[in-house]
Short mmCIF file of all heavy atoms in Angstrom, two decimals:
data_model
loop_
_atom_site.label_atom_id
_atom_site.label_comp_id
_atom_site.label_asym_id
_atom_site.label_seq_id
_atom_site.Cartn_x
_atom_site.Cartn_y
_atom_site.Cartn_z
N GLY A 82 35.02 -2.90 -96.72
CA GLY A 82 34.73 -1.76 -95.85
C GLY A 82 35.18 -1.94 -94.41
O GLY A 82 35.03 -1.01 -93.61
N ALA A 83 35.71 -3.11 -94.05
CA ALA A 83 36.17 -3.33 -92.67
C ALA A 83 37.42 -2.50 -92.40
O ALA A 83 38.18 -2.16 -93.32
CB ALA A 83 36.47 -4.80 -92.44
N MET A 84 37.63 -2.17 -91.14
CA MET A 84 38.81 -1.42 -90.75
C MET A 84 40.07 -2.22 -91.12
O MET A 84 40.17 -3.39 -90.80
CB MET A 84 38.79 -1.15 -89.23
CG MET A 84 39.92 -0.27 -88.75
SD MET A 84 39.87 0.04 -86.96
CE MET A 84 38.49 1.17 -86.86
N PRO A 85 41.04 -1.59 -91.78
CA PRO A 85 42.26 -2.30 -92.17
C PRO A 85 43.28 -2.39 -91.04
O PRO A 85 43.20 -1.66 -90.06
CB PRO A 85 42.81 -1.44 -93.32
CG PRO A 85 42.33 -0.06 -92.99
CD PRO A 85 40.98 -0.24 -92.33
N ARG A 86 44.21 -3.33 -91.19
CA ARG A 86 45.39 -3.49 -90.33
C ARG A 86 45.02 -3.62 -88.84
O ARG A 86 45.61 -2.97 -88.00
CB ARG A 86 46.38 -2.34 -90.53
CG ARG A 86 46.93 -2.24 -91.93
CD ARG A 86 47.83 -1.03 -92.12
NE ARG A 86 47.33 0.19 -91.51
CZ ARG A 86 46.39 0.99 -92.04
NH1 ARG A 86 45.84 0.69 -93.19
NH2 ARG A 86 46.00 2.09 -91.40
N VAL A 87 44.08 -4.50 -88.55
CA VAL A 87 43.62 -4.67 -87.17
C VAL A 87 44.04 -6.03 -86.63
O VAL A 87 43.88 -7.06 -87.29
CB VAL A 87 42.09 -4.51 -87.07
CG1 VAL A 87 41.59 -4.84 -85.66
CG2 VAL A 87 41.67 -3.10 -87.47
N VAL A 88 44.57 -6.02 -85.42
CA VAL A 88 44.83 -7.24 -84.67
C VAL A 88 43.84 -7.27 -83.52
O VAL A 88 43.71 -6.29 -82.78
CB VAL A 88 46.28 -7.30 -84.13
CG1 VAL A 88 46.47 -8.52 -83.24
CG2 VAL A 88 47.28 -7.31 -85.29
N ARG A 89 43.13 -8.39 -83.41
CA ARG A 89 42.17 -8.57 -82.31
C ARG A 89 42.68 -9.66 -81.38
O ARG A 89 43.40 -10.56 -81.80
CB ARG A 89 40.80 -8.96 -82.86
CG ARG A 89 40.11 -7.84 -83.62
CD ARG A 89 38.81 -8.34 -84.26
NE ARG A 89 38.04 -7.26 -84.85
CZ ARG A 89 38.22 -6.79 -86.08
NH1 ARG A 89 39.16 -7.30 -86.85
NH2 ARG A 89 37.47 -5.81 -86.53
N VAL A 90 42.27 -9.55 -80.12
CA VAL A 90 42.68 -10.50 -79.09
C VAL A 90 41.43 -10.99 -78.35
O VAL A 90 40.53 -10.20 -78.05
CB VAL A 90 43.63 -9.82 -78.07
CG1 VAL A 90 43.91 -10.71 -76.89
CG2 VAL A 90 44.91 -9.39 -78.73
N LEU A 91 41.40 -12.28 -78.08
CA LEU A 91 40.40 -12.88 -77.20
C LEU A 91 41.17 -13.74 -76.21
O LEU A 91 41.70 -14.79 -76.57
CB LEU A 91 39.39 -13.72 -77.97
CG LEU A 91 38.38 -14.50 -77.14
CD1 LEU A 91 37.48 -13.54 -76.35
CD2 LEU A 91 37.55 -15.39 -78.03
N ALA A 92 41.28 -13.24 -74.98
CA ALA A 92 42.03 -13.96 -73.94
C ALA A 92 41.06 -14.62 -72.96
O ALA A 92 40.12 -13.97 -72.49
CB ALA A 92 42.95 -12.98 -73.19
N HIS A 93 41.29 -15.89 -72.70
CA HIS A 93 40.53 -16.60 -71.69
C HIS A 93 41.35 -16.57 -70.40
O HIS A 93 42.54 -16.88 -70.41
CB HIS A 93 40.28 -18.04 -72.12
CG HIS A 93 39.48 -18.10 -73.39
ND1 HIS A 93 40.07 -18.24 -74.62
CD2 HIS A 93 38.16 -17.98 -73.59
CE1 HIS A 93 39.13 -18.23 -75.55
NE2 HIS A 93 37.96 -18.07 -74.96
N ILE A 94 40.69 -16.16 -69.32
CA ILE A 94 41.40 -15.94 -68.06
C ILE A 94 40.64 -16.57 -66.90
O ILE A 94 39.45 -16.86 -67.00
CB ILE A 94 41.59 -14.43 -67.78
CG1 ILE A 94 40.22 -13.75 -67.59
CG2 ILE A 94 42.38 -13.76 -68.89
CD1 ILE A 94 40.30 -12.32 -67.05
N GLU A 95 41.34 -16.74 -65.80
CA GLU A 95 40.71 -17.07 -64.52
C GLU A 95 40.67 -15.78 -63.72
O GLU A 95 41.69 -15.09 -63.60
CB GLU A 95 41.51 -18.12 -63.76
CG GLU A 95 41.47 -19.49 -64.40
CD GLU A 95 42.24 -20.52 -63.61
OE1 GLU A 95 43.33 -20.18 -63.09
OE2 GLU A 95 41.75 -21.65 -63.52
N SER A 96 39.49 -15.45 -63.18
CA SER A 96 39.35 -14.19 -62.47
C SER A 96 38.19 -14.26 -61.49
O SER A 96 37.19 -14.92 -61.75
CB SER A 96 39.10 -13.06 -63.47
OG SER A 96 38.89 -11.84 -62.79
N ASP A 97 38.34 -13.54 -60.39
CA ASP A 97 37.24 -13.39 -59.43
C ASP A 97 36.33 -12.23 -59.82
O ASP A 97 35.28 -12.04 -59.19
CB ASP A 97 37.80 -13.13 -58.01
CG ASP A 97 38.41 -14.39 -57.41
OD1 ASP A 97 37.92 -15.50 -57.73
OD2 ASP A 97 39.36 -14.26 -56.62
N ARG A 98 36.71 -11.45 -60.82
CA ARG A 98 35.89 -10.31 -61.25
C ARG A 98 34.58 -10.81 -61.86
O ARG A 98 34.57 -11.81 -62.57
CB ARG A 98 36.61 -9.49 -62.30
CG ARG A 98 37.78 -8.71 -61.79
CD ARG A 98 38.44 -7.96 -62.94
NE ARG A 98 39.60 -7.24 -62.44
CZ ARG A 98 39.85 -5.98 -62.72
NH1 ARG A 98 39.05 -5.29 -63.50
NH2 ARG A 98 40.92 -5.39 -62.24
N PRO A 99 33.50 -10.09 -61.60
CA PRO A 99 32.25 -10.42 -62.29
C PRO A 99 32.41 -10.09 -63.78
O PRO A 99 33.28 -9.31 -64.17
CB PRO A 99 31.21 -9.52 -61.64
CG PRO A 99 32.00 -8.38 -61.08
CD PRO A 99 33.35 -8.93 -60.72
N ARG A 100 31.57 -10.68 -64.59
CA ARG A 100 31.65 -10.47 -66.04
C ARG A 100 31.64 -8.99 -66.39
O ARG A 100 32.38 -8.53 -67.26
CB ARG A 100 30.50 -11.19 -66.72
CG ARG A 100 30.62 -11.18 -68.22
CD ARG A 100 29.56 -12.03 -68.86
NE ARG A 100 29.81 -13.40 -68.47
CZ ARG A 100 29.00 -14.41 -68.71
NH1 ARG A 100 27.87 -14.21 -69.33
NH2 ARG A 100 29.30 -15.64 -68.32
N ASP A 101 30.79 -8.21 -65.71
CA ASP A 101 30.73 -6.78 -66.02
C ASP A 101 31.89 -5.99 -65.44
O ASP A 101 32.00 -4.79 -65.65
CB ASP A 101 29.39 -6.17 -65.60
CG ASP A 101 29.15 -6.23 -64.10
OD1 ASP A 101 30.00 -6.74 -63.34
OD2 ASP A 101 28.10 -5.75 -63.66
N GLY A 102 32.79 -6.65 -64.73
CA GLY A 102 33.97 -5.99 -64.19
C GLY A 102 35.21 -6.20 -65.04
O GLY A 102 36.28 -5.69 -64.71
#
Side-chain angles (χ1 to χ4, degrees):
M84 185 180 288
R86 299 176 317 280
V87 174
V88 174
R89 291 174 173 86
V90 172
L91 174 64
H93 299 96
I94 64 170
E95 290 182 320
S96 177
D97 287 328
R98 289 178 182 228
R100 188 173 295 172
D101 63 359

